[in-house]
């Protein structure tokens, strides 16, 4: 039986997605990447992920739209979601975090090791 937690990584920047995937794989997670939010949403309908890391600004569908779609799915109601953004100063982050249930926001550039540490903390916290 596979006990690895499944992490969905969504970013249209392939190089950044690979960096995040490498860091998560090294931390012991099973990872799947999607190059945009539309593909990620399709994947989330087929597979239950334990955590989602998504970029905010992407073509076709934003990370915020993805968060809303995921939160509308009962199986993702309590799933930790981490948002990556280069627009941190332009977004109303506290409101978005509350409205969309975003667990953490990482402004680009960010440290992959900090992201891993946050994910490990989120995975260690039991869902209430």
């Amino acid at each position: 039986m596979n006990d690895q937690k499944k992490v969905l990584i969504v970013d249209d920047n392939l190089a950044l997605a690979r960096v995040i995937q490498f860091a998560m794989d090294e931390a012991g997670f099973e990872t799947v990447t999607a190059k945009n939010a539309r593909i990620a949403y399709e994947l989330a309908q087929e597979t239950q992920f334990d955590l989602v890391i998504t970029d905010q600004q992407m073509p076709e569908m934003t990370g915020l739209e993805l968060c809303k779609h995921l939160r509308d799915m009962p199986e993702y109601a309590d799933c930790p979601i981490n948002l990556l953004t280069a627009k941190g100063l332009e977004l109303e982050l506290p409101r978005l975090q509350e409205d969309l249930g975003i667990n953490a926001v990482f402004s680009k550039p960010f440290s992959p090791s900090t992201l891993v540490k946050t994910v490990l903390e989120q995975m260690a916290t039991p869902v209430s």
Side-chain angles (χ1 to χ4, degrees):
M1 187 168 129
N2 187 351
D3 290 353
Q4 281 186 306
K5 298 287 187 178
K6 291 182 182 144
V7 175
L8 177 58
I9 301 164
V10 190
D11 203 311
D12 60 325
N13 179 328
L14 185 58
L16 181 57
R18 285 185 178 159
V19 167
I20 296 167
Q21 183 176 28
F22 178 79
M24 291 295 138
D25 288 347
E26 286 293 304
F29 296 103
E30 179 182 333
T31 57
V32 174
T33 60
K35 67 179 179 179
N36 65 45
R38 182 189 50 77
I39 293 170
Y41 181 57
E42 291 170 5
L43 288 168
Q45 292 173 340
E46 300 166 6
T47 303
Q48 176 65 48
F49 292 96
D50 299 297
L51 184 133
V52 177
I53 299 169
T54 183
D55 187 25
Q56 189 277 326
Q57 192 172 359
M58 293 179 284
E60 296 188 49
M61 179 191 298
T62 69
L64 297 176
E65 291 168 323
L66 174 62
C67 292
K68 177 166 181 1
H69 288 309
L70 292 176
R71 290 300 186 216
D72 287 343
M73 299 169 63
E75 59 270 32
Y76 284 94
D78 295 319
C79 176
I81 298 176
N82 295 294
L83 183 72
L84 312 176
T85 183
K87 305 276 185 183
L89 298 176
E90 298 173 25
L91 299 173
E92 292 181 48
L93 293 176
R95 183 184 61 79
L96 289 172
Q97 283 183 270
E98 184 175 331
D99 291 352
L100 298 174
I102 297 170
N103 298 74
V105 177
F106 293 86
S107 292
K108 295 178 181 180
F110 60 89
S111 162
S113 62
T114 301
L115 176 61
V116 169
K117 180 180 177 203
T118 300
V119 167
L120 288 168
E121 289 169 358
Q122 290 169 345
M123 291 296 194
T125 304
V127 176
S128 53

